[in-house]
Amino acid sequence: MDPNVRPETMERITSPELAQEFINEQIAAVRQQVGDNKVLLALSGGVDSSVVAALLIKAIGDRLVCVHVNHGLLRKGEPEQVVRVFKEELGANLIYVDAVDRFLDKLAGVDDPETKRKIIGKEFIDVFAEEASKLEGIKFLGQGTIYPDILESKDGIKAHHNVGGLPEGLDFELVEPIKLLYKDEVRVVGKALGLPDNMVYRQPFPGPGLGVRCTGAITRDRLEAVREADAIFREEIEKMDTTPWQYFVAIPDVKSTGIKDGKRYMGWAAVIRAVQTKDAVTAKSVEIPWATLCTIRDRIIAEVPGINRVLWDFSDKPVATIEWE
Ligand code: XMP
């Protein structure tokens, strides 16, 4: 049986009872796989790695070592929040690594999306290998891989960092307890593990982070514009009655003519996108009220240096994917 294929007999996890059954199975499986060893976990702060962290803490307690890598592609305020929630509130054994320059230097001038993903994935593994060697004797690497990552990598749609970016000769054995789950199931499991709602229902965020939203070759100034515009957009969208499944800003590597203070002002266009979906395999664009759109437009243009236009991407998936790269 291929361990990367979801058995047809596997029931969709839709209830606390089914989630508990899954958790019990995975605790036993992780204990068997890991024995008395330690596991190093890539804790991004997203739903997937947070659920894996909670599951592994239940399975192996303080033999889980969480590492949070700030690769410079995180959303505004995110690294600070991860440290606060996991280290201070949940008491996890957490190591914070500031790798911003290291990642951005490697990515400079690289415009091919798949190459960007592979660089980010490889750099991640290298950082973990370094942390592991400092800690000595860690053979296992926990990962928040989920089923759509595996399916889309198989279909050749894109290489997810959790799957396609792994270099040959990887000397960690992977621990991927949620790799056969769809996103909606991950949330049910997270609830059953007792994680707070704001973590379980947090919108998904791709492993390569803002890197796939700063399309083409990443520059620090455009990346900063993506981060600032995204924070404004999220703030305004979260005032809506129901929060969409995923909502973000992308800034393509294109400048257009504008006018500011009576002079020509070449600027980027911030692309806003909000979608609703069950499992990210298909997605529908979400209606945003005109007044909200105007507030978002005015704030982004006024508050984010380098932006002179705001565009609304209301394309559905398929044919468009959710992310721009
Ligand atoms: P797409 O763009 O394929 O995205 O419609 C589907 C969902 O997956 C997320 N996504 C990623 N997550 N690594 C990840 O961990 C990736 O490389 C990646 N690419 C896309 C995306 O944000 C959406 O929720």
Side-chain angles (χ1 to χ4, degrees):
M1 206 170 68
D2 184 343
N4 283 341
V5 175
R6 184 178 167 119
E8 277 178 24
T9 51
M10 185 169 160
E11 203 174 337
R12 191 89 171 196
I13 301 172
T14 51
S15 68
E17 293 74 27
L18 288 171
Q20 197 52 55
E21 218 174 286
F22 173 83
I23 291 163
N24 294 342
E25 275 166 26
Q26 288 307 316
I27 288 175
V30 168
R31 284 182 183 157
Q32 200 186 8
Q33 183 187 3
V34 169
D36 290 335
N37 290 296
K38 287 186 177 173
V39 178
L40 191 64
L41 175 71
L43 180 59
S44 68
V47 188
D48 303 340
S49 62
S50 300
V51 169
V52 170
L55 193 58
L56 293 183
I57 286 168
K58 276 212 189 314
I60 59 166
D62 61 5
R63 283 185 288 116
L64 173 70
V65 183
C66 297
V67 175
H68 178 62
V69 176
N70 182 0
H71 51 28
L73 304 166
L74 298 168
R75 286 171 292 194
K76 190 171 179 177
E78 212 161 36
E80 297 81 359
Q81 193 193 23
V82 168
V83 172
R84 194 179 63 244
V85 171
F86 283 93
K87 195 165 185 154
E88 293 164 22
E89 292 172 21
L90 300 179
N93 184 1
L94 174 74
I95 298 167
Y96 171 81
V97 185
D98 179 349
V100 176
D101 287 335
R102 186 171 162 165
F103 275 80
L104 295 186
D105 288 350
K106 283 245 159 62
L107 287 164
V110 180
D111 61 3
D112 175 62
E114 293 309 288
T115 310
K116 283 166 70 178
R117 272 194 166 76
K118 291 223 161 84
I119 289 172
I120 296 166
K122 181 182 181 307
E123 211 52 29
F124 246 107
I125 297 297
D126 289 352
V127 171
F128 288 128
E130 283 172 26
E131 291 306 319
S133 67
K134 281 186 216 158
L135 295 162
E136 282 177 9
I138 296 194
K139 295 193 197 76
F140 293 89
L141 181 73
Q143 283 213 127
T145 312
I146 66 169
Y147 206 43
D149 299 339
I150 292 177
L151 292 181
E152 296 196 346
S153 293
K154 265 191 193 143
D155 291 346
I157 296 172
K158 61 177 66 160
H160 283 264
H161 83 284
N162 284 334
V163 180
L166 298 182
E168 297 282 318
L170 181 77
D171 52 4
F172 287 116
E173 188 179 319
L174 297 179
V175 179
E176 299 175 295
I178 59 169
K179 72 175 173 183
L180 297 183
L181 300 189
Y182 288 100
K183 200 85 192 189
D184 51 301
E185 297 177 288
V186 177
R187 295 190 207 278
V188 180
V189 170
K191 271 297 273 185
L193 283 164
L195 286 176
D197 276 8
N198 66 352
M199 202 169 278
V200 171
Y201 297 108
R202 180 183 179 142
Q203 65 161 319
F205 187 60
L210 300 181
V212 295
R213 298 172 183 172
C214 188
T215 70
I218 297 168
T219 56
R220 290 181 191 236
D221 54 356
R222 191 158 49 92
L223 179 62
E224 217 34 55
V226 174
R227 199 180 339 260
E228 288 300 320
D230 183 70
I232 293 167
F233 183 56
R234 284 192 285 134
E235 200 179 306
E236 295 303 326
I237 286 290
E238 281 159 16
K239 293 178 187 162
M240 280 168 52
D241 292 340
T242 44
T243 309
W245 192 84
Q246 196 169 16
Y247 44 104
F248 58 87
V249 169
I251 303 186
D253 187 13
V254 177
K255 281 195 171 175
S256 68
T257 312
I259 182 158
K260 196 175 185 179
D261 303 326
K263 289 199 192 98
R264 187 178 160 100
Y265 176 59
M266 297 301 287
W268 299 298
V271 177
I272 60 173
R273 181 146 176 72
V275 296
Q276 203 59 34
T277 176
K278 189 163 189 248
D279 52 19
V281 176
T282 61
K284 285 268 178 213
S285 184
V286 170
E287 193 171 329
I288 305 173
W290 178 248
T292 307
L293 283 172
C294 292
T295 306
I296 290 163
R297 173 200 63 198
D298 292 346
R299 281 197 62 194
I300 290 178
I301 288 177
E303 296 175 35
V304 185
I307 305 274
N308 63 359
R309 290 172 201 270
V310 174
L311 312 182
W312 181 13
D313 175 2
F314 60 104
S315 324
D316 293 337
K317 175 181 180 178
V319 168
T321 52
I322 295 174
E323 301 290 349
W324 267 55
E325 277 187 344

